[in-house]
Amino acid sequence: MNPKPMGPIPPEYADQHGVLTIAGHLAGDWAAAGTPVFVYDAAIVAARIARFRAAMPAVDLHYAIKANPHPDLLAAIAPLVDGLDIASAGELHRALTVKPATAISFAGPGKRDTELEAAIAAGVTLNLESEAEATRAIAIADRLDRTPRLAVRVNPDIELRGSGMKMGGRPSPFGIDAVRVPALVRRLIAAGVDWRGFHIYAGSQALDADAVAETQAATVALAARLADEAGALPPLVNLGGGFGVPYFSGDRPLDIETIGSRLADALATRPTVLASSRFAIELGRWLVAEAGVYLARVVDRKESGGEIFIVLDGGLNHQLAASGNFGTVVRRNYPLAVADRMGEPVVETVNVVGPLCTPLDRLGDRVALPHIEPGDVIAIFLAGAYGATASPAAFLGHPPAIERVAV
Ligand SMILES: *Cc1c(COP(=O)(O)O)cnc(C)c1O
Protein backbone atom coordinates (compact mmCIF):
# COMPACT_ATOMS: atom_id res chain seq x y z
CA MET A 1 0.00 0.00 0.00
CA ASN A 2 1.53 3.28 -1.09
CA PRO A 3 1.54 5.96 1.57
CA LYS A 4 0.05 9.38 0.87
CA PRO A 5 2.10 12.42 1.79
CA MET A 6 1.56 14.50 4.91
CA GLY A 7 2.00 18.21 5.29
CA PRO A 8 5.24 19.56 6.74
CA ILE A 9 5.72 19.44 10.51
CA PRO A 10 6.16 23.09 11.57
CA PRO A 11 9.85 24.00 12.02
CA GLU A 12 9.37 24.65 15.74
CA TYR A 13 8.85 20.89 16.20
CA ALA A 14 10.40 19.34 13.10
CA ASP A 15 13.95 19.38 14.39
CA GLN A 16 13.13 17.25 17.38
CA HIS A 17 14.39 13.71 17.27
CA GLY A 18 13.16 11.22 19.79
CA VAL A 19 10.35 12.63 21.86
CA LEU A 20 8.16 15.55 20.90
CA THR A 21 8.50 18.58 23.16
CA ILE A 22 5.85 21.32 23.21
CA ALA A 23 6.66 24.58 25.00
CA GLY A 24 9.51 22.90 26.85
CA HIS A 25 7.53 19.93 28.14
CA LEU A 26 7.37 16.41 26.79
CA ALA A 27 4.23 15.65 24.81
CA GLY A 28 3.72 12.67 27.10
CA ASP A 29 3.62 15.00 30.10
CA TRP A 30 0.96 17.16 28.47
CA ALA A 31 -0.99 14.00 27.62
CA ALA A 32 -0.57 12.46 31.09
CA ALA A 33 -3.19 14.80 32.54
CA GLY A 34 -5.74 13.55 30.03
CA THR A 35 -6.36 13.24 26.33
CA PRO A 36 -7.40 14.45 23.87
CA VAL A 37 -5.70 17.75 24.58
CA PHE A 38 -4.86 20.84 22.56
CA VAL A 39 -1.61 22.51 23.66
CA TYR A 40 -1.00 26.10 22.55
CA ASP A 41 2.46 27.65 22.87
CA ALA A 42 2.10 31.42 23.29
CA ALA A 43 5.84 31.88 22.66
CA ILE A 44 5.40 30.68 19.08
CA VAL A 45 2.61 33.23 18.58
CA ALA A 46 4.81 35.97 20.05
CA ALA A 47 7.61 35.03 17.65
CA ARG A 48 5.17 35.24 14.73
CA ILE A 49 4.03 38.67 15.84
CA ALA A 50 7.64 39.83 16.13
CA ARG A 51 8.31 38.62 12.59
CA PHE A 52 5.26 40.49 11.32
CA ARG A 53 6.37 43.68 13.10
CA ALA A 54 9.80 43.47 11.50
CA ALA A 55 8.34 42.87 8.04
CA MET A 56 5.55 45.46 8.24
CA PRO A 57 6.59 48.09 10.80
CA ALA A 58 4.19 50.79 9.59
CA VAL A 59 1.05 48.64 9.55
CA ASP A 60 -1.25 47.86 12.48
CA LEU A 61 -1.76 44.20 13.31
CA HIS A 62 -5.17 42.89 14.33
CA TYR A 63 -5.92 39.41 15.60
CA ALA A 64 -9.11 37.77 14.25
CA ILE A 65 -10.08 35.97 17.42
CA LYS A 66 -12.33 33.37 15.82
CA ALA A 67 -9.16 31.51 14.82
CA ASN A 68 -8.55 30.71 18.49
CA PRO A 69 -10.48 32.52 21.21
CA HIS A 70 -9.07 30.59 24.19
CA PRO A 71 -9.09 33.15 27.04
CA ASP A 72 -5.52 32.50 28.22
CA LEU A 73 -4.12 32.64 24.70
CA LEU A 74 -6.14 35.77 23.96
CA ALA A 75 -4.77 37.40 27.12
CA ALA A 76 -1.24 36.59 25.94
CA ILE A 77 -1.82 37.92 22.42
CA ALA A 78 -3.82 41.08 23.21
CA PRO A 79 -0.93 43.23 24.50
CA LEU A 80 1.15 42.33 21.43
CA VAL A 81 -1.36 43.41 18.76
CA ASP A 82 -3.02 46.74 17.93
CA GLY A 83 -6.55 45.46 17.58
CA LEU A 84 -8.90 42.51 17.88
CA ASP A 85 -11.41 41.61 15.18
CA ILE A 86 -14.53 39.91 16.42
CA ALA A 87 -17.68 38.50 14.85
CA SER A 88 -20.28 38.00 17.60
CA ALA A 89 -21.46 39.33 20.95
CA GLY A 90 -19.79 36.34 22.57
CA GLU A 91 -16.44 37.34 21.10
CA LEU A 92 -17.19 40.96 22.02
CA HIS A 93 -17.43 40.13 25.71
CA ARG A 94 -14.26 38.10 25.54
CA ALA A 95 -12.36 40.81 23.64
CA LEU A 96 -13.43 43.54 26.07
CA THR A 97 -11.75 41.70 28.93
CA VAL A 98 -8.34 42.14 27.27
CA LYS A 99 -8.51 45.23 25.02
CA PRO A 100 -10.12 48.69 25.09
CA ALA A 101 -13.23 49.10 22.95
CA THR A 102 -11.47 51.52 20.60
CA ALA A 103 -9.12 48.67 19.58
CA ILE A 104 -11.94 46.26 18.73
CA SER A 105 -13.83 45.96 15.45
CA PHE A 106 -16.90 43.82 14.89
CA ALA A 107 -17.53 42.34 11.42
CA GLY A 108 -19.87 39.61 10.26
CA PRO A 109 -23.25 39.45 8.55
CA GLY A 110 -26.46 39.15 10.53
CA LYS A 111 -25.55 41.18 13.59
CA ARG A 112 -28.64 41.17 15.79
CA ASP A 113 -30.00 44.37 17.32
CA THR A 114 -28.79 43.19 20.73
CA GLU A 115 -25.28 42.76 19.30
CA LEU A 116 -25.31 46.18 17.64
CA GLU A 117 -26.50 47.69 20.90
CA ALA A 118 -23.78 45.99 22.98
CA ALA A 119 -21.08 47.08 20.53
CA ILE A 120 -22.30 50.69 20.30
CA ALA A 121 -22.73 50.97 24.06
CA ALA A 122 -19.18 49.68 24.55
CA GLY A 123 -17.74 51.97 21.88
CA VAL A 124 -16.55 49.19 19.56
CA THR A 125 -16.23 49.86 15.81
CA LEU A 126 -18.83 48.11 13.69
CA ASN A 127 -17.76 46.97 10.25
CA LEU A 128 -21.09 47.37 8.49
CA GLU A 129 -22.11 44.50 6.27
CA SER A 130 -25.19 46.07 4.61
CA GLU A 131 -27.11 49.32 4.20
CA ALA A 132 -29.91 47.90 6.35
CA GLU A 133 -27.43 47.16 9.13
CA ALA A 134 -26.25 50.79 8.87
CA THR A 135 -29.83 51.99 9.31
CA ARG A 136 -30.34 49.78 12.37
CA ALA A 137 -27.02 50.82 13.90
CA ILE A 138 -27.83 54.53 13.50
CA ALA A 139 -31.29 54.07 15.03
CA ILE A 140 -29.86 52.15 18.00
CA ALA A 141 -27.16 54.77 18.54
CA ASP A 142 -29.81 57.53 18.50
CA ARG A 143 -31.81 55.67 21.10
CA LEU A 144 -28.69 55.21 23.27
CA ASP A 145 -27.68 58.83 22.62
CA ARG A 146 -24.25 57.65 21.46
CA THR A 147 -22.11 58.52 18.45
CA PRO A 148 -21.43 55.11 16.86
CA ARG A 149 -18.03 54.19 15.45
CA LEU A 150 -18.89 52.79 12.03
CA ALA A 151 -16.67 51.46 9.24
CA VAL A 152 -17.88 50.04 5.96
CA ARG A 153 -16.96 46.54 4.94
CA VAL A 154 -16.48 46.56 1.20
CA ASN A 155 -17.22 43.57 -1.01
CA PRO A 156 -14.27 44.31 -3.27
CA ASP A 157 -14.39 43.87 -7.02
CA ILE A 158 -11.07 42.03 -6.66
CA GLU A 159 -10.31 38.61 -5.23
CA LEU A 160 -7.24 37.14 -3.59
CA ARG A 161 -5.68 34.95 -6.29
CA GLY A 162 -4.71 31.50 -5.06
CA SER A 163 -6.49 31.81 -1.75
CA GLY A 164 -8.08 28.80 -0.14
CA MET A 165 -11.34 30.59 0.53
CA LYS A 166 -12.41 33.45 -1.70
CA MET A 167 -14.41 36.18 -0.05
CA GLY A 168 -14.41 38.94 -2.65
CA GLY A 169 -15.01 39.65 -6.32
CA ARG A 170 -18.40 37.95 -6.47
CA PRO A 171 -21.92 38.08 -5.02
CA SER A 172 -21.37 37.74 -1.29
CA PRO A 173 -23.03 37.85 2.11
CA PHE A 174 -19.93 39.77 3.28
CA GLY A 175 -19.63 43.51 2.87
CA ILE A 176 -21.33 45.99 0.60
CA ASP A 177 -20.67 45.93 -3.14
CA ALA A 178 -17.96 48.46 -3.90
CA VAL A 179 -20.13 50.48 -6.32
CA ARG A 180 -22.62 51.26 -3.54
CA VAL A 181 -20.05 52.16 -0.88
CA PRO A 182 -19.45 55.88 -1.62
CA ALA A 183 -23.17 56.68 -1.28
CA LEU A 184 -23.32 54.85 2.04
CA VAL A 185 -20.25 56.67 3.38
CA ARG A 186 -21.82 60.03 2.47
CA ARG A 187 -25.01 58.97 4.25
CA LEU A 188 -23.10 57.91 7.39
CA ILE A 189 -21.22 61.19 7.55
CA ALA A 190 -24.43 63.18 7.00
CA ALA A 191 -26.01 61.24 9.90
CA GLY A 192 -23.20 62.44 12.19
CA VAL A 193 -21.61 59.09 12.97
CA ASP A 194 -17.89 58.65 13.68
CA TRP A 195 -16.93 57.13 10.34
CA ARG A 196 -13.85 54.97 10.88
CA GLY A 197 -13.01 53.96 7.30
CA PHE A 198 -12.99 50.78 5.27
CA HIS A 199 -12.66 47.07 5.92
CA ILE A 200 -11.72 45.18 2.75
CA TYR A 201 -11.19 41.43 3.03
CA ALA A 202 -10.45 39.55 -0.17
CA GLY A 203 -9.65 35.98 0.89
CA SER A 204 -7.98 33.51 3.21
CA GLN A 205 -5.19 30.87 3.37
CA ALA A 206 -2.98 32.33 0.63
CA LEU A 207 0.60 31.05 0.35
CA ASP A 208 1.66 33.05 -2.71
CA ALA A 209 3.38 36.28 -1.63
CA ASP A 210 3.00 37.82 -5.10
CA ALA A 211 -0.74 37.23 -5.03
CA VAL A 212 -1.09 38.74 -1.57
CA ALA A 213 1.05 41.76 -2.54
CA GLU A 214 -0.97 42.29 -5.73
CA THR A 215 -4.22 42.10 -3.80
CA GLN A 216 -2.97 44.53 -1.16
CA ALA A 217 -1.90 47.05 -3.81
CA ALA A 218 -5.30 46.70 -5.49
CA THR A 219 -6.99 47.11 -2.11
CA VAL A 220 -5.12 50.35 -1.42
CA ALA A 221 -6.16 51.60 -4.88
CA LEU A 222 -9.76 50.59 -4.28
CA ALA A 223 -9.85 52.34 -0.89
CA ALA A 224 -8.49 55.51 -2.53
CA ARG A 225 -11.08 55.38 -5.30
CA LEU A 226 -13.95 54.87 -2.84
CA ALA A 227 -12.68 57.63 -0.54
CA ASP A 228 -12.41 60.00 -3.51
CA GLU A 229 -15.93 59.21 -4.66
CA ALA A 230 -17.25 59.58 -1.11
CA GLY A 231 -15.33 62.82 -0.64
CA ALA A 232 -14.04 61.70 2.78
CA LEU A 233 -10.72 60.74 4.36
CA PRO A 234 -10.80 57.24 5.92
CA PRO A 235 -9.08 57.19 9.32
CA LEU A 236 -8.35 53.46 8.95
CA VAL A 237 -8.09 51.15 5.97
CA ASN A 238 -8.20 47.52 7.08
CA LEU A 239 -6.55 45.68 4.19
CA GLY A 240 -7.80 42.25 5.26
CA GLY A 241 -5.34 39.43 5.71
CA GLY A 242 -5.45 36.01 4.20
CA PHE A 243 -1.91 34.98 5.19
CA GLY A 244 -1.87 31.19 4.92
CA VAL A 245 0.06 28.43 6.64
CA PRO A 246 1.47 25.24 5.09
CA TYR A 247 -0.98 22.48 5.97
CA PHE A 248 -0.27 20.03 3.17
CA SER A 249 2.52 18.30 1.29
CA GLY A 250 4.09 20.72 -1.17
CA ASP A 251 2.87 23.83 0.67
CA ARG A 252 5.58 26.42 1.29
CA PRO A 253 5.51 28.99 4.08
CA LEU A 254 4.39 32.47 3.06
CA ASP A 255 7.18 34.96 2.39
CA ILE A 256 5.86 37.83 4.48
CA GLU A 257 9.08 39.84 4.12
CA THR A 258 8.35 40.18 0.39
CA ILE A 259 4.78 41.18 1.19
CA GLY A 260 6.06 43.77 3.64
CA SER A 261 8.43 45.42 1.20
CA ARG A 262 5.85 45.50 -1.60
CA LEU A 263 3.24 46.92 0.75
CA ALA A 264 5.69 49.60 1.88
CA ASP A 265 6.10 50.56 -1.79
CA ALA A 266 2.34 50.65 -2.34
CA LEU A 267 1.84 52.83 0.74
CA ALA A 268 4.72 55.16 -0.14
CA THR A 269 3.05 55.97 -3.46
CA ARG A 270 -0.54 56.01 -2.23
CA PRO A 271 -2.98 58.66 -3.44
CA THR A 272 -3.22 61.78 -1.27
CA VAL A 273 -6.78 60.98 -0.18
CA LEU A 274 -5.18 58.24 1.96
CA ALA A 275 -2.26 60.37 3.16
CA SER A 276 -3.51 60.55 6.76
CA SER A 277 -5.00 57.02 6.91
CA ARG A 278 -3.66 54.26 9.12
CA PHE A 279 -3.53 50.76 7.65
CA ALA A 280 -4.19 47.45 9.35
CA ILE A 281 -3.85 43.78 8.50
CA GLU A 282 -6.03 41.26 10.31
CA LEU A 283 -4.72 37.77 10.78
CA GLY A 284 -6.03 34.62 12.36
CA ARG A 285 -4.41 31.35 11.38
CA TRP A 286 -0.99 32.77 10.44
CA LEU A 287 -0.54 33.87 14.05
CA VAL A 288 -1.81 30.79 15.86
CA ALA A 289 -2.15 27.67 13.67
CA GLU A 290 1.42 26.42 14.10
CA ALA A 291 1.40 27.24 17.82
CA GLY A 292 -1.10 24.46 18.52
CA VAL A 293 -0.76 20.68 18.66
CA TYR A 294 -3.63 18.25 19.20
CA LEU A 295 -2.62 15.17 21.18
CA ALA A 296 -4.80 12.07 21.15
CA ARG A 297 -4.12 8.64 22.55
CA VAL A 298 -4.29 5.40 20.59
CA VAL A 299 -7.15 3.23 21.90
CA ASP A 300 -7.07 0.42 19.37
CA ARG A 301 -5.05 -1.00 16.54
CA LYS A 302 -6.90 -3.18 14.08
CA GLU A 303 -6.62 -4.59 10.62
CA SER A 304 -9.22 -4.66 7.88
CA GLY A 305 -8.87 -5.67 4.26
CA GLY A 306 -5.08 -5.59 4.55
CA GLU A 307 -4.99 -2.07 5.96
CA ILE A 308 -4.09 -1.03 9.50
CA PHE A 309 -6.40 1.27 11.41
CA ILE A 310 -5.12 3.24 14.39
CA VAL A 311 -8.10 4.40 16.44
CA LEU A 312 -7.69 7.48 18.64
CA ASP A 313 -9.68 8.79 21.57
CA GLY A 314 -10.54 11.96 19.64
CA GLY A 315 -11.11 12.95 16.05
CA LEU A 316 -13.18 15.30 13.97
CA ASN A 317 -15.30 16.14 17.01
CA HIS A 318 -12.29 18.19 18.19
CA GLN A 319 -10.16 18.79 15.10
CA LEU A 320 -12.57 18.84 12.17
CA ALA A 321 -10.11 20.62 9.88
CA ALA A 322 -7.60 17.76 9.98
CA SER A 323 -10.30 15.41 8.70
CA GLY A 324 -10.63 17.58 5.59
CA ASN A 325 -14.16 18.67 6.34
CA PHE A 326 -13.57 22.36 7.10
CA GLY A 327 -13.15 24.35 3.93
CA THR A 328 -11.06 22.04 1.79
CA VAL A 329 -12.12 20.62 -1.55
CA VAL A 330 -9.86 17.57 -1.61
CA ARG A 331 -8.98 15.68 1.56
CA ARG A 332 -5.24 15.76 2.23
CA ASN A 333 -3.17 14.84 5.27
CA TYR A 334 -2.18 17.32 7.92
CA PRO A 335 1.26 16.62 9.41
CA LEU A 336 1.13 14.11 12.23
CA ALA A 337 3.62 12.16 14.28
CA VAL A 338 3.86 9.53 16.99
CA ALA A 339 4.80 11.80 19.89
CA ASP A 340 7.09 9.40 21.73
CA ARG A 341 8.63 7.86 18.61
CA MET A 342 9.69 10.93 16.60
CA GLY A 343 13.11 9.47 15.92
CA GLU A 344 12.03 5.95 15.07
CA PRO A 345 12.07 4.72 11.50
CA VAL A 346 8.94 4.78 9.40
CA VAL A 347 7.91 1.15 9.14
CA GLU A 348 4.26 1.01 8.23
CA THR A 349 1.45 2.73 6.41
CA VAL A 350 -1.66 3.21 8.51
CA ASN A 351 -4.98 4.98 8.61
CA VAL A 352 -5.39 7.16 11.69
CA VAL A 353 -9.03 7.53 12.61
CA GLY A 354 -11.10 9.06 15.38
CA PRO A 355 -13.73 7.31 17.49
CA LEU A 356 -16.80 8.64 15.70
CA CYS A 357 -19.18 6.37 13.80
CA THR A 358 -18.67 8.08 10.46
CA PRO A 359 -16.15 7.40 7.70
CA LEU A 360 -15.46 11.15 7.67
CA ASP A 361 -13.55 10.76 10.94
CA ARG A 362 -10.15 10.12 9.40
CA LEU A 363 -7.18 12.20 10.53
CA GLY A 364 -4.48 10.42 8.59
CA ASP A 365 -5.16 8.64 5.32
CA ARG A 366 -2.49 6.02 4.48
CA VAL A 367 0.26 7.82 6.38
CA ALA A 368 3.72 6.32 6.83
CA LEU A 369 4.73 6.24 10.52
CA PRO A 370 6.79 4.28 13.02
CA HIS A 371 5.12 1.24 14.53
CA ILE A 372 2.17 2.30 16.71
CA GLU A 373 0.65 0.50 19.68
CA PRO A 374 -2.36 1.31 21.87
CA GLY A 375 -1.30 3.81 24.52
CA ASP A 376 0.92 5.80 22.14
CA VAL A 377 0.16 9.47 21.74
CA ILE A 378 -0.39 10.85 18.24
CA ALA A 379 0.37 14.52 17.63
CA ILE A 380 -1.54 16.38 14.95
CA PHE A 381 0.10 19.68 14.08
CA LEU A 382 -1.41 22.94 12.81
CA ALA A 383 -4.05 22.64 15.50
CA GLY A 384 -3.81 26.16 16.89
CA ALA A 385 -6.40 27.68 14.55
CA TYR A 386 -9.95 26.54 13.81
CA GLY A 387 -9.64 23.52 16.09
CA ALA A 388 -11.58 23.21 19.31
CA THR A 389 -14.10 25.97 18.60
CA ALA A 390 -14.54 25.13 14.91
CA SER A 391 -15.35 21.46 15.43
CA PRO A 392 -18.63 19.70 16.27
CA ALA A 393 -17.71 18.82 19.87
CA ALA A 394 -21.23 17.67 20.78
CA PHE A 395 -21.44 15.18 17.89
CA LEU A 396 -21.65 11.66 19.38
CA GLY A 397 -21.41 12.89 22.92
CA HIS A 398 -17.73 12.40 23.67
CA PRO A 399 -16.20 14.82 26.18
CA PRO A 400 -14.74 18.05 24.81
CA ALA A 401 -10.98 18.21 24.34
CA ILE A 402 -8.86 19.68 27.10
CA GLU A 403 -7.12 22.91 26.13
CA ARG A 404 -3.84 24.00 27.71
CA VAL A 405 -1.94 27.21 27.09
CA ALA A 406 1.77 27.54 27.77
CA VAL A 407 2.51 31.23 28.37
C1 LIG B 1 -11.99 34.59 9.45
C2 LIG B 1 -11.58 35.99 9.17
C3 LIG B 1 -10.25 36.37 9.37
C4 LIG B 1 -9.18 35.41 9.76
O1 LIG B 1 -8.89 34.56 8.71
P1 LIG B 1 -7.55 33.67 8.72
O2 LIG B 1 -7.61 32.92 7.46
O3 LIG B 1 -7.61 32.82 9.93
O4 LIG B 1 -6.40 34.63 8.79
C5 LIG B 1 -9.93 37.69 9.16
N1 LIG B 1 -10.86 38.58 8.79
C6 LIG B 1 -12.15 38.25 8.58
C7 LIG B 1 -13.11 39.27 8.16
C8 LIG B 1 -12.55 36.94 8.75
O5 LIG B 1 -13.81 36.60 8.51
Side-chain angles (χ1 to χ4, degrees), residues 64 66-67 153 167 199 201 204-205 243 282-285 386:
K66 78 171 188 283
R153 180 164 180 185
M167 296 178 82
H199 175 218
Y201 186 79
S204 196
Q205 180 51 22
F243 292 16
E282 57 179 11
L283 300 178
R285 74 188 71 218
Y386 307 108

Side-chain angles (χ1 to χ4, degrees), residues 58-390:
V59 178
D60 285 355
L61 173 61
H62 293 188
Y63 176 49
I65 82 171
K66 78 171 188 283
N68 189 329
H70 191 283
D72 298 346
L73 190 65
L74 195 54
I77 294 174
L80 306 179
V81 297
D82 304 295
L84 298 176
D85 291 320
I86 59 162
S88 69
E91 290 188 348
L92 171 67
H93 296 309
R94 217 170 259 207
L96 282 170
T97 65
V98 291
K99 225 30 182 178
T102 49
I104 300 172
S105 50
F106 184 173
K111 299 183 197 73
R112 300 167 183 80
D113 283 352
T114 50
E115 293 180 305
L116 295 174
E117 185 169 328
I120 291 166
V124 161
T125 298
L126 290 164
N127 291 332
L128 297 170
E129 302 275 356
S130 76
E131 286 99 341
E133 190 173 89
T135 302
R136 286 191 293 132
I138 291 169
I140 288 167
D142 279 347
R143 181 158 52 71
L144 298 176
D145 199 20
R146 296 291 296 262
T147 302
R149 293 164 65 87
L150 303 180
V152 175
R153 180 164 180 185
V154 180
N155 176 26
D157 34 26
I158 45 180
E159 68 179 33
L160 175 48
R161 181 165 60 81
S163 70
M165 206 181 292
K166 295 191 170 49
M167 296 178 82
R170 55 183 63 192
S172 171
F174 309 111
I176 296 157
D177 290 357
V179 292
R180 300 209 306 270
V181 166
L184 176 60
V185 172
R186 285 193 294 269
R187 190 182 131 207
L188 293 175
I189 291 170
V193 315
D194 183 3
W195 178 58
R196 303 305 307 158
F198 297 120
H199 175 218
I200 308 178
Y201 186 79
S204 196
Q205 180 51 22
L207 291 173
D208 178 346
D210 286 332
V212 173
E214 253 171 48
T215 302
Q216 288 180 339
T219 303
V220 172
L222 173 61
R225 193 180 91 214
L226 296 174
D228 259 335
E229 287 175 25
L233 308 178
L236 180 73
V237 178
N238 180 329
L239 297 168
F243 292 16
V245 292
Y247 289 110
F248 304 119
S249 170
D251 286 355
R252 297 268 170 277
L254 184 64
D255 174 4
I256 71 153
E257 287 72 23
T258 291
I259 293 171
S261 73
R262 300 230 342 229
L263 181 56
D265 292 345
L267 294 181
T269 57
R270 67 189 186 264
T272 50
V273 70
L274 300 181
S276 61
S277 302
R278 290 200 63 77
F279 294 84
I281 288 180
E282 57 179 11
L283 300 178
R285 74 188 71 218
W286 190 84
L287 295 177
V288 294
E290 287 153 295
V293 182
Y294 176 69
L295 300 173
R297 201 174 288 281
V298 178
V299 176
D300 198 9
R301 174 191 168 102
K302 58 186 278 188
E303 205 185 303
S304 171
E307 297 194 18
I308 300 164
F309 289 81
I310 301 297
V311 189
L312 307 181
D313 59 2
L316 73 74
N317 52 325
H318 301 147
Q319 185 42 351
L320 180 68
S323 75
N325 294 292
F326 189 70
T328 40
V329 181
V330 181
R331 197 212 165 284
R332 287 176 292 171
N333 289 317
Y334 271 42
L336 46 89
V338 191
D340 43 357
R341 302 176 194 268
M342 291 276 281
E344 292 185 18
V346 163
V347 295
E348 58 189 14
T349 296
V350 301
N351 299 300
V352 179
V353 302
L356 305 192
C357 300
T358 162
L360 299 178
D361 196 8
R362 186 173 291 225
L363 302 174
D365 184 31
R366 297 190 174 182
V367 287
L369 291 171
H371 182 81
I372 298 168
E373 284 294 327
D376 282 339
V377 172
I378 303 294
I380 298 169
F381 299 94
L382 282 308
Y386 307 108
T389 60

